[in-house]
Coordinates of all heavy atoms in Angstrom, one line a residue:
D18 N 38.0 -97.5 -23.8 CA 37.8 -96.8 -22.6 C 38.1 -95.3 -22.7 O 37.4 -94.4 -22.2 CB 38.7 -97.4 -21.5 CG 38.1 -98.8 -21.1 OD1 36.9 -99.1 -21.4 OD2 38.9 -99.5 -20.4
G71 N -10.3 -46.1 -12.4 CA -11.4 -45.7 -11.6 C -11.7 -46.5 -10.4 O -12.8 -46.4 -9.8
L153 N 9.5 -65.5 -1.2 CA 10.7 -64.8 -1.5 C 10.5 -63.4 -2.1 O 11.4 -62.6 -2.3 CB 11.6 -65.6 -2.5 CG 12.1 -66.9 -2.0 CD1 12.8 -67.6 -3.1 CD2 12.9 -66.8 -0.7
V166 N -5.2 -32.8 0.2 CA -6.4 -32.1 0.6 C -6.7 -30.9 -0.3 O -5.8 -30.0 -0.4 CB -6.4 -31.7 2.1 CG1 -7.6 -30.8 2.4 CG2 -6.3 -32.9 3.0
A174 N -22.8 -20.2 -2.9 CA -23.5 -21.5 -3.2 C -23.2 -22.5 -2.0 O -22.1 -22.4 -1.4 CB -23.1 -22.2 -4.5
I184 N -22.0 -32.4 -4.5 CA -21.8 -32.4 -3.0 C -22.5 -31.1 -2.5 O -22.6 -30.1 -3.1 CB -20.3 -32.2 -2.8 CG1 -19.5 -33.5 -3.3 CG2 -20.0 -32.1 -1.3 CD1 -18.0 -33.4 -3.1
S230 N -4.0 -32.3 -8.5 CA -3.4 -32.8 -7.3 C -2.2 -33.6 -7.6 O -2.4 -34.8 -8.1 CB -4.4 -33.6 -6.4 OG -3.8 -34.2 -5.3
F279 N -42.2 11.4 0.4 CA -42.4 12.8 -0.1 C -42.6 13.7 1.2 O -43.4 13.3 2.0 CB -43.6 12.9 -1.1 CG -43.7 14.3 -1.8 CD1 -42.8 14.6 -2.8 CD2 -44.6 15.2 -1.4 CE1 -42.9 15.8 -3.5 CE2 -44.7 16.4 -2.0 CZ -43.9 16.7 -3.1
E314 N -31.3 3.1 -9.2 CA -32.3 4.2 -9.3 C -33.7 3.6 -9.7 O -33.8 2.7 -10.6 CB -31.9 5.3 -10.3 CG -32.8 6.5 -10.3 CD -32.3 7.6 -11.2 OE1 -31.4 7.4 -12.0 OE2 -32.9 8.7 -11.1

Side-chain angles (χ1 to χ4, degrees):
D18 288 341
L153 298 177
V166 173
I184 299 177
S230 170
F279 191 76
E314 185 177 12

